[in-house]
Amino acid sequence: MPAIVIVGAQWGDEGKGKATDALGARVDYVVKFNGGNNAGHTVVVGGEKYALHLLPSGILTPGCTPVIGNGVVIDLSVLFSEIDDLAARGVDCSRLRVSANAHLITPYNRTVDKVTERFLGKRRIGTTGRGIGPTYADKMNRIGIRVQDLFDESILRQKVEGALEQKNQLLVKVYNRRAIGVDEVVDELLSYADRVRPMVCDSGRLLTDALSRGETVLFEAGQATMLDVDHGTYPFVTSSNATAAGACTGSGVPPRAIDRVIAVVKAYTTRVGEGPFPTELHDEQGDWLRERGGEFGVTTGRPRRCGWYDVPIARFAARVNGVTDFVLTKLDVLTGLERIPVCVAYEVDGVRCEDMPMTQTEFHHAKPVFEYFDGWSEDISGARSVEDLPKAARQYVTALEEMSGSRISAVGVGPDREATVLRHDLLDG
Ligand code: GDP
Ligand code: IMO
Ligand code: MG
């Protein structure tokens, strides 16, 4: 079963890091293919907690090779501080490979991210402020800086000069900020060149060669389906393709190589930043979910907005990604509720709608139609097989499975790597 993609089904923070890490021992490569250090994945191994941003979650598995694909945007200072922090805790990062074609987040991209958000005011996206959007914009505008540019100083300088000619006009004349000097940017970037050089690879070649040898490659998405720049709740999205197809463009493997697509979906829903969210709770039930689920951002510390499970979103994720298996996470967080609301459809301007509406306006108007399921009060965090779950919890999982468009193969009952109930083998069937 050589190539598997893991994506988020909702608005991020579903527990992709834990799912990737849990499969780590069965795969040879773990590849990050989109996004950058806007991602935050918490992985708990034997009680030890790791917060990963730029590094693929496979980094924690000895013997597995982590790869940063061409579709990722890299802040080199973050990359090396993450590597140093992990090395100080005894994690070996020496196998890490980085695509020569990946784009670099420069100091001016970070500045532009922050000032545009401030300038947008009420219309802001609520970005993570890490320079993600402006770096992808430069890539599409063909004025981006890539990893390989670090090894040709004169090209690097020309490219930075070209980009800053535009950016400084914007920063000084529109945003009233100081101009950024070419030398400071070039010097900062070059200071990482020697350290990154031994890691650099052609990710497409590396991974297609591995696949043709029968090795197993796991592609780990950052962000999620509803944050995908094409398929998500645009403009309240990130700037990359976080859906399964992004694994191909973001790494250089062909679409026919992909065998399985696993979507990670929370037993309820959360969102960070601005944008529509039909099942959002604005009352004490939302606060209860946030506290119980520890729903505070790994990257920015922001409280996450919380709401109930949304079936139209799960079905949409199943369709867009071609999901073969769902991993349902954080079921334990719902313990103690008498009844659990699930959004089974929307009402849009008085009309019942089973699926994601076509337009942004309709989605903004979507009101959830709820069905209610029995809750349970037993502690389920020690459950390791379906039989260990109380009947009502089993029924909740089965009901979600019937409505969401693909089988639920694993259920998370706690943050630790081991805290999972397996229903089907994720890499088979
Ligand atoms: P990611 O960005 O998709 O990797 O998810 P995050 O790491 O940002 O957020 C998920 C959070 O839930 C992390 O703190 C995980 O440790 C935690 N987590 C993952 N699965 C479970 C689960 O099944 N139960 C509980 N209680 N926590 C979980
Ligand atoms: P993981 O991988 C949740 C959100 C931001 C903002 C929007 C755009 O941990 O699931 P950006 O900085 O990417 O331009 O911000 O996307 N966002 C995330 N929300 N989880 C993430 O990553 C996110 N990455 C970006 O909050 O609304
Ligand atoms: Mg996260």
Side-chain angles (χ1 to χ4, degrees):
M1 194 48 63
I4 308 122
V5 187
I6 287 194
V7 297
Q10 297 153 322
W11 278 287
D13 306 323
E14 295 90 351
K16 299 175 290 292
K18 178 189 155 184
T20 302
D21 169 68
L23 289 171
R26 298 176 66 188
V27 306
D28 300 296
Y29 291 82
V30 172
V31 186
K32 183 174 165 93
F33 62 82
N34 75 304
N37 58 312
N38 48 349
H41 308 303
T42 303
V43 180
V44 185
V45 186
E48 277 274 313
K49 196 165 166 176
Y50 299 89
L52 303 169
H53 298 282
L54 195 46
L55 293 171
S57 304
I59 197 100
L60 299 175
T61 308
C64 168
T65 301
V67 180
I68 294 180
N70 56 277
V72 174
V73 290
I74 302 176
D75 187 325
L76 289 167
S77 66
V78 173
L79 178 70
F80 289 117
S81 76
E82 218 172 305
I83 289 174
D84 291 342
D85 288 351
L86 285 177
R89 296 175 69 184
V91 177
D92 172 22
C93 299
S94 62
R95 295 177 319 277
L96 177 69
R97 312 300 303 274
V98 176
S99 165
N101 287 352
H103 281 246
L104 296 176
I105 300 179
T106 63
Y108 49 84
N109 296 134
R110 285 192 297 264
T111 306
V112 170
D113 193 0
K114 291 193 184 110
V115 292
T116 30
E117 279 283 281
R118 217 167 296 148
F119 202 71
L120 280 169
K122 268 203 341 260
R123 288 176 295 115
R124 70 185 179 277
I125 308 295
T127 72
T128 58
R130 301 298 192 261
I132 306 295
T135 305
Y136 280 113
D138 281 4
K139 171 177 174 174
M140 292 307 175
N141 278 328
R142 293 155 296 185
I143 56 165
I145 313 293
R146 298 193 291 177
V147 168
Q148 58 184 279
D149 297 328
L150 296 176
F151 312 121
D152 187 332
E153 187 176 340
S154 92
I155 286 280
L156 175 68
R157 185 168 293 276
Q158 278 176 41
K159 289 187 174 178
V160 171
E161 266 168 9
L164 276 177
E165 241 167 65
Q166 290 184 7
K167 307 289 170 194
N168 278 334
Q169 299 278 343
L170 186 76
L171 286 173
V172 174
K173 293 187 180 153
V174 178
Y175 297 120
N176 206 18
R177 302 282 295 219
R178 76 171 178 90
I180 294 175
V182 174
D183 283 343
E184 60 183 287
V185 176
V186 171
D187 291 350
E188 185 188 320
L189 293 175
L190 282 179
S191 71
Y192 299 108
D194 287 342
R195 214 173 158 193
V196 84
R197 195 189 300 269
M199 303 173 180
V200 175
C201 72
D202 172 338
S203 61
R205 157 142 278 181
L206 177 75
L207 298 168
T208 41
D209 284 354
L211 287 168
S212 62
R213 287 193 301 269
E215 294 184 278
T216 306
V217 179
L218 180 63
F219 297 89
E220 178 195 29
Q223 295 73 56
T225 304
M226 301 304 282
L227 288 171
D228 182 284
V229 67
D230 283 281
H231 304 291
T233 47
Y234 189 92
F236 302 101
V237 293
T238 190
S239 299
S240 67
N241 286 116
T243 43
C248 297
T249 50
S251 72
V253 304
R256 287 179 59 185
I258 308 295
D259 297 282
R260 301 200 71 78
V261 179
I262 299 168
V264 184
V265 67
K266 238 180 251 194
Y268 50 98
T269 310
T270 63
R271 168 162 212 174
V272 201
E274 306 301 317
F277 179 178
T279 66
E280 181 171 15
L281 291 160
H282 298 281
D283 55 12
E284 61 283 358
Q285 280 203 298
D287 298 338
W288 185 86
L289 278 177
R290 186 174 309 108
E291 289 305 321
R292 290 263 317 177
E295 297 296 354
F296 297 88
V298 186
T299 299
T300 58
R302 290 181 289 178
R304 295 175 183 151
R305 300 157 63 192
C306 296
W308 301 119
Y309 190 87
D310 186 321
V311 170
I313 285 178
R315 263 207 307 270
F316 176 72
R319 170 163 66 77
V320 171
N321 295 294
V323 170
T324 54
D325 305 76
F326 278 114
V327 172
L328 182 74
T329 60
K330 301 190 103 161
L331 187 68
D332 53 304
V333 173
L334 300 181
T335 299
L337 290 169
E338 231 166 84
R339 52 177 210 162
I340 308 170
V342 170
C343 166
V344 296
Y346 302 133
E347 196 190 287
V348 182
D349 302 327
V351 179
R352 188 182 162 109
C353 175
E354 307 288 331
D355 290 309
M356 275 288 291
M358 191 176 69
T359 67
Q360 184 192 359
T361 306
E362 289 168 307
F363 194 63
H364 276 267
H365 293 185
K367 293 197 179 62
V369 177
F370 286 116
E371 258 180 40
Y372 297 86
F373 293 84
D374 288 341
W376 58 92
S377 54
E378 299 90 331
D379 177 5
I380 60 168
S381 58
R384 295 294 177 269
S385 72
V386 177
E387 299 74 51
D388 297 337
L389 292 173
K391 188 168 164 226
R394 287 203 301 269
Q395 282 172 342
Y396 182 71
V397 174
T398 311
L400 297 192
E401 177 173 78
E402 278 165 7
M403 295 187 285
S404 299
S406 190
R407 70 182 194 180
I408 293 176
S409 296
V411 180
V413 291
D416 206 273
R417 192 188 264 178
E418 314 300 328
T420 303
V421 169
L422 260 189
R423 297 172 90 229
H424 307 283
D425 186 352
L426 280 163
L427 305 190
D428 198 16

